[in-house]
Amino acid sequence: MADFYIKKHENFIESLKLMDQIKIMKNEYILHDSTHKSDSTLKQVFPKGIIQFYHQFKSLHISWKYNFESRKINFLDEQMDFIEGEFNLLDKERFLEGINGKALENDFDMLVNSMLRRELFPFEELPNEYLVCINRKTPDQIVFIDLDESKYFEIRIDFESYMNCGYKCYFFYGWQKAIFLSSASHLNRLKHYLGQLIPGFNLNLDLP
């Protein structure tokens, strides 16, 4: 389906709008201009899923927070916890630049193998916290670069499955660590809060 990701995203936003306990902070997206010819660079070297995504979206930024004016929820730590979700797509030009090894080294004291560095192309970013990259040589793998911990993790999942998991987890803060990096604290937070915010929430991800 030519506009699969667009419909999926619009349905997701509509579902958020129906929940008074969630406040949408940002919903900004620009669709790709379908009159332009498809990018041959994308076609030649990147997995099909991300090619389709960039052929539909030029930019996409969403964020939401718990609406404190709605019904009260149970906090695990009311002083420390913030309840929110976010997804930030890097534009195609920035994606095609790949990762900046010098910036990772200088700003985050992080060394990435030079051969691997040439194969990584970031499509999602939370500034100063993480980058999520496609490994163009391995279509069924994404690489999560944890800028806060100065570590990177190779995760055996393709782009389509990554995005499906993101939507099912409502892009809740730390969802990647909860699902892919086996962080018990992040998984506990995700289940605890989404279970209260999302009617009928069920963490059934059907991972490959």
PDB file of all heavy atoms in Angstrom, residues 117-150:
ATOM      1  N   ARG A 117      31.098   2.302  11.439  1.00  0.00           N
ATOM      2  CA  ARG A 117      30.661   3.697  11.338  1.00  0.00           C
ATOM      3  C   ARG A 117      30.246   4.059   9.914  1.00  0.00           C
ATOM      4  O   ARG A 117      29.285   4.800   9.712  1.00  0.00           O
ATOM      5  CB  ARG A 117      31.787   4.613  11.814  1.00  0.00           C
ATOM      6  CG  ARG A 117      31.372   6.051  12.052  1.00  0.00           C
ATOM      7  CD  ARG A 117      32.442   6.794  12.811  1.00  0.00           C
ATOM      8  NE  ARG A 117      33.677   6.916  12.072  1.00  0.00           N
ATOM      9  CZ  ARG A 117      34.890   6.650  12.574  1.00  0.00           C
ATOM     10  NH1 ARG A 117      35.015   6.221  13.817  1.00  0.00           N
ATOM     11  NH2 ARG A 117      35.970   6.794  11.837  1.00  0.00           N
ATOM     12  N   ARG A 118      30.934   3.510   8.937  1.00  0.00           N
ATOM     13  CA  ARG A 118      30.620   3.818   7.537  1.00  0.00           C
ATOM     14  C   ARG A 118      29.292   3.211   7.091  1.00  0.00           C
ATOM     15  O   ARG A 118      28.737   3.626   6.080  1.00  0.00           O
ATOM     16  CB  ARG A 118      31.748   3.325   6.623  1.00  0.00           C
ATOM     17  CG  ARG A 118      33.017   4.154   6.726  1.00  0.00           C
ATOM     18  CD  ARG A 118      33.955   3.855   5.574  1.00  0.00           C
ATOM     19  NE  ARG A 118      34.499   2.502   5.652  1.00  0.00           N
ATOM     20  CZ  ARG A 118      35.636   2.189   6.286  1.00  0.00           C
ATOM     21  NH1 ARG A 118      36.315   3.132   6.913  1.00  0.00           N
ATOM     22  NH2 ARG A 118      36.077   0.949   6.299  1.00  0.00           N
ATOM     23  N   GLU A 119      28.798   2.235   7.848  1.00  0.00           N
ATOM     24  CA  GLU A 119      27.558   1.557   7.451  1.00  0.00           C
ATOM     25  C   GLU A 119      26.327   2.073   8.197  1.00  0.00           C
ATOM     26  O   GLU A 119      25.212   1.650   7.910  1.00  0.00           O
ATOM     27  CB  GLU A 119      27.688   0.040   7.707  1.00  0.00           C
ATOM     28  CG  GLU A 119      28.925  -0.611   7.145  1.00  0.00           C
ATOM     29  CD  GLU A 119      29.099  -0.394   5.652  1.00  0.00           C
ATOM     30  OE1 GLU A 119      28.089  -0.136   4.964  1.00  0.00           O
ATOM     31  OE2 GLU A 119      30.243  -0.458   5.167  1.00  0.00           O
ATOM     32  N   LEU A 120      26.517   2.976   9.155  1.00  0.00           N
ATOM     33  CA  LEU A 120      25.397   3.421   9.997  1.00  0.00           C
ATOM     34  C   LEU A 120      24.801   4.736   9.513  1.00  0.00           C
ATOM     35  O   LEU A 120      25.515   5.714   9.286  1.00  0.00           O
ATOM     36  CB  LEU A 120      25.853   3.571  11.450  1.00  0.00           C
ATOM     37  CG  LEU A 120      26.348   2.299  12.141  1.00  0.00           C
ATOM     38  CD1 LEU A 120      26.683   2.586  13.598  1.00  0.00           C
ATOM     39  CD2 LEU A 120      25.322   1.180  12.039  1.00  0.00           C
ATOM     40  N   PHE A 121      23.461   4.750   9.412  1.00  0.00           N
ATOM     41  CA  PHE A 121      22.738   5.935   8.958  1.00  0.00           C
ATOM     42  C   PHE A 121      21.570   6.187   9.915  1.00  0.00           C
ATOM     43  O   PHE A 121      20.660   5.367  10.018  1.00  0.00           O
ATOM     44  CB  PHE A 121      22.247   5.733   7.518  1.00  0.00           C
ATOM     45  CG  PHE A 121      23.364   5.666   6.523  1.00  0.00           C
ATOM     46  CD1 PHE A 121      24.089   4.494   6.353  1.00  0.00           C
ATOM     47  CD2 PHE A 121      23.734   6.792   5.800  1.00  0.00           C
ATOM     48  CE1 PHE A 121      25.158   4.434   5.464  1.00  0.00           C
ATOM     49  CE2 PHE A 121      24.789   6.744   4.904  1.00  0.00           C
ATOM     50  CZ  PHE A 121      25.502   5.563   4.737  1.00  0.00           C
ATOM     51  N   PRO A 122      21.614   7.319  10.639  1.00  0.00           N
ATOM     52  CA  PRO A 122      20.610   7.570  11.686  1.00  0.00           C
ATOM     53  C   PRO A 122      19.283   8.094  11.123  1.00  0.00           C
ATOM     54  O   PRO A 122      19.262   9.007  10.310  1.00  0.00           O
ATOM     55  CB  PRO A 122      21.281   8.643  12.546  1.00  0.00           C
ATOM     56  CG  PRO A 122      22.152   9.395  11.588  1.00  0.00           C
ATOM     57  CD  PRO A 122      22.612   8.380  10.560  1.00  0.00           C
ATOM     58  N   PHE A 123      18.183   7.496  11.557  1.00  0.00           N
ATOM     59  CA  PHE A 123      16.869   7.965  11.120  1.00  0.00           C
ATOM     60  C   PHE A 123      16.050   8.561  12.262  1.00  0.00           C
ATOM     61  O   PHE A 123      15.082   9.276  12.029  1.00  0.00           O
ATOM     62  CB  PHE A 123      16.069   6.835  10.449  1.00  0.00           C
ATOM     63  CG  PHE A 123      15.728   5.670  11.344  1.00  0.00           C
ATOM     64  CD1 PHE A 123      14.574   5.695  12.127  1.00  0.00           C
ATOM     65  CD2 PHE A 123      16.550   4.561  11.397  1.00  0.00           C
ATOM     66  CE1 PHE A 123      14.263   4.607  12.942  1.00  0.00           C
ATOM     67  CE2 PHE A 123      16.232   3.482  12.213  1.00  0.00           C
ATOM     68  CZ  PHE A 123      15.095   3.507  12.985  1.00  0.00           C
ATOM     69  N   GLU A 124      16.426   8.276  13.504  1.00  0.00           N
ATOM     70  CA  GLU A 124      15.689   8.828  14.649  1.00  0.00           C
ATOM     71  C   GLU A 124      16.675   9.377  15.662  1.00  0.00           C
ATOM     72  O   GLU A 124      17.751   8.808  15.863  1.00  0.00           O
ATOM     73  CB  GLU A 124      14.817   7.755  15.314  1.00  0.00           C
ATOM     74  CG  GLU A 124      13.989   8.307  16.468  1.00  0.00           C
ATOM     75  CD  GLU A 124      13.301   7.235  17.298  1.00  0.00           C
ATOM     76  OE1 GLU A 124      13.455   6.034  16.991  1.00  0.00           O
ATOM     77  OE2 GLU A 124      12.615   7.604  18.260  1.00  0.00           O
ATOM     78  N   GLU A 125      16.274  10.462  16.324  1.00  0.00           N
ATOM     79  CA  GLU A 125      17.175  11.082  17.296  1.00  0.00           C
ATOM     80  C   GLU A 125      16.396  11.693  18.447  1.00  0.00           C
ATOM     81  O   GLU A 125      15.337  12.299  18.244  1.00  0.00           O
ATOM     82  CB  GLU A 125      18.003  12.173  16.618  1.00  0.00           C
ATOM     83  CG  GLU A 125      18.899  12.947  17.567  1.00  0.00           C
ATOM     84  CD  GLU A 125      19.646  14.077  16.882  1.00  0.00           C
ATOM     85  OE1 GLU A 125      19.052  14.713  15.981  1.00  0.00           O
ATOM     86  OE2 GLU A 125      20.801  14.328  17.241  1.00  0.00           O
ATOM     87  N   LEU A 126      16.912  11.510  19.657  1.00  0.00           N
ATOM     88  CA  LEU A 126      16.511  12.325  20.798  1.00  0.00           C
ATOM     89  C   LEU A 126      17.789  13.040  21.211  1.00  0.00           C
ATOM     90  O   LEU A 126      18.713  12.398  21.728  1.00  0.00           O
ATOM     91  CB  LEU A 126      15.955  11.475  21.937  1.00  0.00           C
ATOM     92  CG  LEU A 126      15.286  12.246  23.079  1.00  0.00           C
ATOM     93  CD1 LEU A 126      14.129  13.093  22.562  1.00  0.00           C
ATOM     94  CD2 LEU A 126      14.785  11.291  24.153  1.00  0.00           C
ATOM     95  N   PRO A 127      17.898  14.351  20.923  1.00  0.00           N
ATOM     96  CA  PRO A 127      19.172  15.055  21.089  1.00  0.00           C
ATOM     97  C   PRO A 127      19.822  14.810  22.445  1.00  0.00           C
ATOM     98  O   PRO A 127      19.169  14.876  23.491  1.00  0.00           O
ATOM     99  CB  PRO A 127      18.773  16.523  20.914  1.00  0.00           C
ATOM    100  CG  PRO A 127      17.605  16.469  19.985  1.00  0.00           C
ATOM    101  CD  PRO A 127      16.843  15.234  20.401  1.00  0.00           C
ATOM    102  N   ASN A 128      21.110  14.488  22.403  1.00  0.00           N
ATOM    103  CA  ASN A 128      21.950  14.237  23.569  1.00  0.00           C
ATOM    104  C   ASN A 128      21.577  12.976  24.345  1.00  0.00           C
ATOM    105  O   ASN A 128      22.155  12.708  25.401  1.00  0.00           O
ATOM    106  CB  ASN A 128      21.949  15.440  24.526  1.00  0.00           C
ATOM    107  CG  ASN A 128      22.500  16.679  23.871  1.00  0.00           C
ATOM    108  OD1 ASN A 128      23.502  16.628  23.179  1.00  0.00           O
ATOM    109  ND2 ASN A 128      21.827  17.807  24.065  1.00  0.00           N
ATOM    110  N   GLU A 129      20.611  12.197  23.818  1.00  0.00           N
ATOM    111  CA  GLU A 129      20.239  10.961  24.504  1.00  0.00           C
ATOM    112  C   GLU A 129      20.472   9.720  23.653  1.00  0.00           C
ATOM    113  O   GLU A 129      21.069   8.758  24.114  1.00  0.00           O
ATOM    114  CB  GLU A 129      18.791  11.021  24.972  1.00  0.00           C
ATOM    115  CG  GLU A 129      18.573  12.057  26.061  1.00  0.00           C
ATOM    116  CD  GLU A 129      17.354  11.770  26.903  1.00  0.00           C
ATOM    117  OE1 GLU A 129      16.995  10.592  27.093  1.00  0.00           O
ATOM    118  OE2 GLU A 129      16.734  12.738  27.366  1.00  0.00           O
ATOM    119  N   TYR A 130      19.973   9.714  22.406  1.00  0.00           N
ATOM    120  CA  TYR A 130      20.215   8.538  21.579  1.00  0.00           C
ATOM    121  C   TYR A 130      20.059   8.847  20.100  1.00  0.00           C
ATOM    122  O   TYR A 130      19.438   9.828  19.698  1.00  0.00           O
ATOM    123  CB  TYR A 130      19.297   7.381  21.972  1.00  0.00           C
ATOM    124  CG  TYR A 130      17.815   7.591  21.749  1.00  0.00           C
ATOM    125  CD1 TYR A 130      17.252   7.553  20.471  1.00  0.00           C
ATOM    126  CD2 TYR A 130      16.956   7.815  22.821  1.00  0.00           C
ATOM    127  CE1 TYR A 130      15.893   7.732  20.268  1.00  0.00           C
ATOM    128  CE2 TYR A 130      15.588   7.992  22.631  1.00  0.00           C
ATOM    129  CZ  TYR A 130      15.065   7.946  21.358  1.00  0.00           C
ATOM    130  OH  TYR A 130      13.721   8.126  21.151  1.00  0.00           O
ATOM    131  N   LEU A 131      20.654   7.973  19.296  1.00  0.00           N
ATOM    132  CA  LEU A 131      20.450   7.909  17.849  1.00  0.00           C
ATOM    133  C   LEU A 131      20.037   6.484  17.520  1.00  0.00           C
ATOM    134  O   LEU A 131      20.545   5.535  18.131  1.00  0.00           O
ATOM    135  CB  LEU A 131      21.745   8.226  17.092  1.00  0.00           C
ATOM    136  CG  LEU A 131      22.237   9.665  17.033  1.00  0.00           C
ATOM    137  CD1 LEU A 131      23.656   9.684  16.455  1.00  0.00           C
ATOM    138  CD2 LEU A 131      21.321  10.518  16.185  1.00  0.00           C
ATOM    139  N   VAL A 132      19.131   6.329  16.570  1.00  0.00           N
ATOM    140  CA  VAL A 132      18.773   4.995  16.093  1.00  0.00           C
ATOM    141  C   VAL A 132      19.141   4.941  14.613  1.00  0.00           C
ATOM    142  O   VAL A 132      18.749   5.817  13.836  1.00  0.00           O
ATOM    143  CB  VAL A 132      17.281   4.691  16.280  1.00  0.00           C
ATOM    144  CG1 VAL A 132      17.010   3.216  15.958  1.00  0.00           C
ATOM    145  CG2 VAL A 132      16.839   4.994  17.705  1.00  0.00           C
ATOM    146  N   CYS A 133      19.911   3.910  14.239  1.00  0.00           N
ATOM    147  CA  CYS A 133      20.488   3.858  12.898  1.00  0.00           C
ATOM    148  C   CYS A 133      20.102   2.579  12.155  1.00  0.00           C
ATOM    149  O   CYS A 133      19.896   1.527  12.759  1.00  0.00           O
ATOM    150  CB  CYS A 133      22.020   3.886  12.983  1.00  0.00           C
ATOM    151  SG  CYS A 133      22.708   5.256  13.916  1.00  0.00           S
ATOM    152  N   ILE A 134      20.050   2.713  10.852  1.00  0.00           N
ATOM    153  CA  ILE A 134      20.006   1.572   9.949  1.00  0.00           C
ATOM    154  C   ILE A 134      21.441   1.143   9.675  1.00  0.00           C
ATOM    155  O   ILE A 134      22.313   1.982   9.455  1.00  0.00           O
ATOM    156  CB  ILE A 134      19.331   1.980   8.617  1.00  0.00           C
ATOM    157  CG1 ILE A 134      17.820   2.098   8.793  1.00  0.00           C
ATOM    158  CG2 ILE A 134      19.644   0.982   7.512  1.00  0.00           C
ATOM    159  CD1 ILE A 134      17.107   0.787   8.995  1.00  0.00           C
ATOM    160  N   ASN A 135      21.682  -0.162   9.705  1.00  0.00           N
ATOM    161  CA  ASN A 135      22.941  -0.698   9.207  1.00  0.00           C
ATOM    162  C   ASN A 135      22.671  -1.145   7.774  1.00  0.00           C
ATOM    163  O   ASN A 135      21.986  -2.135   7.537  1.00  0.00           O
ATOM    164  CB  ASN A 135      23.399  -1.878  10.072  1.00  0.00           C
ATOM    165  CG  ASN A 135      24.746  -2.433   9.630  1.00  0.00           C
ATOM    166  OD1 ASN A 135      25.145  -2.262   8.476  1.00  0.00           O
ATOM    167  ND2 ASN A 135      25.440  -3.083  10.534  1.00  0.00           N
ATOM    168  N   ARG A 136      23.210  -0.423   6.807  1.00  0.00           N
ATOM    169  CA  ARG A 136      22.830  -0.680   5.414  1.00  0.00           C
ATOM    170  C   ARG A 136      23.300  -2.042   4.907  1.00  0.00           C
ATOM    171  O   ARG A 136      22.796  -2.537   3.916  1.00  0.00           O
ATOM    172  CB  ARG A 136      23.356   0.431   4.507  1.00  0.00           C
ATOM    173  CG  ARG A 136      24.852   0.493   4.370  1.00  0.00           C
ATOM    174  CD  ARG A 136      25.248   1.551   3.371  1.00  0.00           C
ATOM    175  NE  ARG A 136      26.693   1.716   3.289  1.00  0.00           N
ATOM    176  CZ  ARG A 136      27.291   2.539   2.457  1.00  0.00           C
ATOM    177  NH1 ARG A 136      26.579   3.267   1.620  1.00  0.00           N
ATOM    178  NH2 ARG A 136      28.612   2.657   2.444  1.00  0.00           N
ATOM    179  N   LYS A 137      24.277  -2.638   5.594  1.00  0.00           N
ATOM    180  CA  LYS A 137      24.769  -3.956   5.182  1.00  0.00           C
ATOM    181  C   LYS A 137      23.944  -5.087   5.797  1.00  0.00           C
ATOM    182  O   LYS A 137      24.063  -6.236   5.392  1.00  0.00           O
ATOM    183  CB  LYS A 137      26.233  -4.128   5.608  1.00  0.00           C
ATOM    184  CG  LYS A 137      27.201  -3.194   4.908  1.00  0.00           C
ATOM    185  CD  LYS A 137      27.455  -3.640   3.480  1.00  0.00           C
ATOM    186  CE  LYS A 137      28.504  -2.749   2.844  1.00  0.00           C
ATOM    187  NZ  LYS A 137      29.117  -3.296   1.667  1.00  0.00           N
ATOM    188  N   THR A 138      23.144  -4.736   6.797  1.00  0.00           N
ATOM    189  CA  THR A 138      22.374  -5.759   7.511  1.00  0.00           C
ATOM    190  C   THR A 138      20.935  -5.290   7.630  1.00  0.00           C
ATOM    191  O   THR A 138      20.562  -4.632   8.604  1.00  0.00           O
ATOM    192  CB  THR A 138      22.972  -5.998   8.925  1.00  0.00           C
ATOM    193  OG1 THR A 138      24.387  -6.068   8.837  1.00  0.00           O
ATOM    194  CG2 THR A 138      22.431  -7.271   9.535  1.00  0.00           C
ATOM    195  N   PRO A 139      20.079  -5.606   6.659  1.00  0.00           N
ATOM    196  CA  PRO A 139      18.702  -5.080   6.615  1.00  0.00           C
ATOM    197  C   PRO A 139      17.851  -5.435   7.824  1.00  0.00           C
ATOM    198  O   PRO A 139      16.916  -4.707   8.155  1.00  0.00           O
ATOM    199  CB  PRO A 139      18.119  -5.720   5.347  1.00  0.00           C
ATOM    200  CG  PRO A 139      19.302  -6.076   4.517  1.00  0.00           C
ATOM    201  CD  PRO A 139      20.384  -6.425   5.476  1.00  0.00           C
ATOM    202  N   ASP A 140      18.179  -6.558   8.496  1.00  0.00           N
ATOM    203  CA  ASP A 140      17.356  -6.961   9.640  1.00  0.00           C
ATOM    204  C   ASP A 140      17.991  -6.532  10.957  1.00  0.00           C
ATOM    205  O   ASP A 140      17.798  -7.158  11.994  1.00  0.00           O
ATOM    206  CB  ASP A 140      17.127  -8.476   9.630  1.00  0.00           C
ATOM    207  CG  ASP A 140      18.425  -9.271   9.733  1.00  0.00           C
ATOM    208  OD1 ASP A 140      19.508  -8.669   9.548  1.00  0.00           O
ATOM    209  OD2 ASP A 140      18.357 -10.480  10.002  1.00  0.00           O
ATOM    210  N   GLN A 141      18.738  -5.428  10.932  1.00  0.00           N
ATOM    211  CA  GLN A 141      19.402  -4.958  12.142  1.00  0.00           C
ATOM    212  C   GLN A 141      19.327  -3.444  12.241  1.00  0.00           C
ATOM    213  O   GLN A 141      19.512  -2.727  11.262  1.00  0.00           O
ATOM    214  CB  GLN A 141      20.872  -5.388  12.146  1.00  0.00           C
ATOM    215  CG  GLN A 141      21.648  -4.966  13.387  1.00  0.00           C
ATOM    216  CD  GLN A 141      23.124  -5.303  13.273  1.00  0.00           C
ATOM    217  OE1 GLN A 141      23.904  -4.529  12.729  1.00  0.00           O
ATOM    218  NE2 GLN A 141      23.503  -6.473  13.761  1.00  0.00           N
ATOM    219  N   ILE A 142      19.001  -2.967  13.422  1.00  0.00           N
ATOM    220  CA  ILE A 142      19.156  -1.536  13.702  1.00  0.00           C
ATOM    221  C   ILE A 142      20.217  -1.397  14.798  1.00  0.00           C
ATOM    222  O   ILE A 142      20.529  -2.361  15.507  1.00  0.00           O
ATOM    223  CB  ILE A 142      17.831  -0.861  14.124  1.00  0.00           C
ATOM    224  CG1 ILE A 142      17.269  -1.488  15.397  1.00  0.00           C
ATOM    225  CG2 ILE A 142      16.803  -0.907  13.016  1.00  0.00           C
ATOM    226  CD1 ILE A 142      17.167  -0.555  16.529  1.00  0.00           C
ATOM    227  N   VAL A 143      20.800  -0.219  14.894  1.00  0.00           N
ATOM    228  CA  VAL A 143      21.805   0.044  15.910  1.00  0.00           C
ATOM    229  C   VAL A 143      21.330   1.210  16.773  1.00  0.00           C
ATOM    230  O   VAL A 143      21.010   2.287  16.261  1.00  0.00           O
ATOM    231  CB  VAL A 143      23.177   0.366  15.281  1.00  0.00           C
ATOM    232  CG1 VAL A 143      24.179   0.768  16.358  1.00  0.00           C
ATOM    233  CG2 VAL A 143      23.696  -0.847  14.511  1.00  0.00           C
ATOM    234  N   PHE A 144      21.245   0.953  18.068  1.00  0.00           N
ATOM    235  CA  PHE A 144      20.818   1.962  19.038  1.00  0.00           C
ATOM    236  C   PHE A 144      22.062   2.537  19.687  1.00  0.00           C
ATOM    237  O   PHE A 144      22.818   1.826  20.358  1.00  0.00           O
ATOM    238  CB  PHE A 144      19.907   1.318  20.081  1.00  0.00           C
ATOM    239  CG  PHE A 144      19.365   2.264  21.119  1.00  0.00           C
ATOM    240  CD1 PHE A 144      18.215   2.993  20.869  1.00  0.00           C
ATOM    241  CD2 PHE A 144      19.992   2.414  22.343  1.00  0.00           C
ATOM    242  CE1 PHE A 144      17.699   3.867  21.819  1.00  0.00           C
ATOM    243  CE2 PHE A 144      19.499   3.282  23.308  1.00  0.00           C
ATOM    244  CZ  PHE A 144      18.336   4.011  23.036  1.00  0.00           C
ATOM    245  N   ILE A 145      22.297   3.833  19.462  1.00  0.00           N
ATOM    246  CA  ILE A 145      23.457   4.500  20.053  1.00  0.00           C
ATOM    247  C   ILE A 145      22.991   5.293  21.267  1.00  0.00           C
ATOM    248  O   ILE A 145      22.262   6.276  21.145  1.00  0.00           O
ATOM    249  CB  ILE A 145      24.143   5.431  19.040  1.00  0.00           C
ATOM    250  CG1 ILE A 145      24.615   4.632  17.816  1.00  0.00           C
ATOM    251  CG2 ILE A 145      25.328   6.148  19.689  1.00  0.00           C
ATOM    252  CD1 ILE A 145      25.287   5.480  16.744  1.00  0.00           C
ATOM    253  N   ASP A 146      23.380   4.816  22.429  1.00  0.00           N
ATOM    254  CA  ASP A 146      23.006   5.453  23.697  1.00  0.00           C
ATOM    255  C   ASP A 146      24.045   6.527  24.008  1.00  0.00           C
ATOM    256  O   ASP A 146      25.141   6.233  24.476  1.00  0.00           O
ATOM    257  CB  ASP A 146      22.944   4.405  24.804  1.00  0.00           C
ATOM    258  CG  ASP A 146      22.367   4.939  26.105  1.00  0.00           C
ATOM    259  OD1 ASP A 146      22.460   6.157  26.327  1.00  0.00           O
ATOM    260  OD2 ASP A 146      21.816   4.137  26.880  1.00  0.00           O
ATOM    261  N   LEU A 147      23.706   7.772  23.718  1.00  0.00           N
ATOM    262  CA  LEU A 147      24.659   8.867  23.906  1.00  0.00           C
ATOM    263  C   LEU A 147      24.904   9.144  25.385  1.00  0.00           C
ATOM    264  O   LEU A 147      26.004   9.543  25.781  1.00  0.00           O
ATOM    265  CB  LEU A 147      24.136  10.130  23.218  1.00  0.00           C
ATOM    266  CG  LEU A 147      23.910  10.005  21.708  1.00  0.00           C
ATOM    267  CD1 LEU A 147      23.243  11.260  21.159  1.00  0.00           C
ATOM    268  CD2 LEU A 147      25.230   9.738  20.979  1.00  0.00           C
ATOM    269  N   ASP A 148      23.890   8.918  26.204  1.00  0.00           N
ATOM    270  CA  ASP A 148      24.019   9.169  27.636  1.00  0.00           C
ATOM    271  C   ASP A 148      25.006   8.199  28.280  1.00  0.00           C
ATOM    272  O   ASP A 148      25.773   8.566  29.165  1.00  0.00           O
ATOM    273  CB  ASP A 148      22.640   9.041  28.292  1.00  0.00           C
ATOM    274  CG  ASP A 148      22.640   9.507  29.731  1.00  0.00           C
ATOM    275  OD1 ASP A 148      23.224  10.572  30.001  1.00  0.00           O
ATOM    276  OD2 ASP A 148      22.061   8.806  30.593  1.00  0.00           O
ATOM    277  N   GLU A 149      24.997   6.941  27.791  1.00  0.00           N
ATOM    278  CA  GLU A 149      25.877   5.923  28.361  1.00  0.00           C
ATOM    279  C   GLU A 149      27.141   5.708  27.521  1.00  0.00           C
ATOM    280  O   GLU A 149      27.997   4.907  27.887  1.00  0.00           O
ATOM    281  CB  GLU A 149      25.121   4.592  28.460  1.00  0.00           C
ATOM    282  CG  GLU A 149      23.924   4.614  29.402  1.00  0.00           C
ATOM    283  CD  GLU A 149      24.340   4.688  30.861  1.00  0.00           C
ATOM    284  OE1 GLU A 149      25.467   4.252  31.183  1.00  0.00           O
ATOM    285  OE2 GLU A 149      23.540   5.193  31.669  1.00  0.00           O
ATOM    286  N   SER A 150      27.226   6.413  26.377  1.00  0.00           N
ATOM    287  CA  SER A 150      28.360   6.254  25.457  1.00  0.00           C
ATOM    288  C   SER A 150      28.558   4.792  25.041  1.00  0.00           C
ATOM    289  O   SER A 150      29.672   4.254  25.060  1.00  0.00           O
ATOM    290  CB  SER A 150      29.649   6.811  26.077  1.00  0.00           C
ATOM    291  OG  SER A 150      29.525   8.188  26.320  1.00  0.00           O
TER     292      SER A 150
END
